[in-house]
Amino acid sequence: MNANVMSALAEPNRLQIVDLLRASPLTVGEIAERLGLRQPQASKHLRVLSEAGIVEVQAIANRRIYKLRPDPFKELDAWLESYRRMWEERYDRLDDYLLELQNKEIDK
């Protein structure tokens, strides 16, 4: 897992920007307005997200449209999958143990 991606997503405003961009591409101004940020603040956060490879920008006339790149999220999902499997195995063992306890109570 790319540490730059994790670091970029760790900041709350940047995570909110990612949440906004999940719905549709937006301009810096739209992002700033929706999050109650000044435009320079939003631009700095977008620069960090861009450097981490999370967003890409498309220039249309004098507007810059930001959208999410899927690759970092595919990597993150693959990384998390190993943890999902581990927790599912642990929950399965817990279920087995609880059933065993219930059966012991019934047999008494």
Side-chain angles (χ1 to χ4, degrees):
M1 181 67 235
N2 186 333
N4 289 339
V5 170
M6 296 294 280
S7 178
L9 294 175
E11 203 284 329
N13 285 314
R14 291 193 287 265
L15 191 55
Q16 286 183 309
I17 290 170
V18 168
D19 281 341
L20 284 176
L21 293 175
R22 285 176 53 204
S24 67
L26 297 168
T27 65
V28 178
E30 291 168 329
I31 291 167
E33 180 181 319
R34 292 183 190 188
L35 295 181
L37 298 173
R38 295 188 325 265
Q39 194 160 336
Q41 285 178 298
S43 292
K44 285 180 183 179
H45 289 304
L46 286 163
R47 188 176 321 111
V48 171
L49 292 170
S50 180
E51 288 170 358
I54 296 170
V55 299
E56 62 187 29
V57 62
Q58 180 181 12
I60 301 176
N62 63 343
R63 297 174 53 185
R64 297 173 64 79
I65 311 292
Y66 287 85
K67 69 178 187 175
L68 293 178
R69 293 186 63 247
D71 294 343
F73 297 100
K74 290 176 184 177
E75 274 183 46
L76 181 59
D77 186 54
W79 181 74
L80 289 171
E81 182 59 32
S82 64
Y83 290 94
R84 283 187 205 107
R85 282 194 305 270
M86 177 186 67
W87 283 108
E88 286 172 5
E89 289 170 9
R90 289 183 181 186
Y91 287 133
D92 288 345
R93 286 197 309 263
L94 178 61
D95 284 344
D96 292 343
Y97 178 70
L98 292 174
L99 283 172
E100 184 181 316
L101 288 177
Q102 286 176 340
N103 288 336
K104 285 182 181 178
E105 286 295 316
I106 291 172
D107 291 342
K108 286 186 177 181

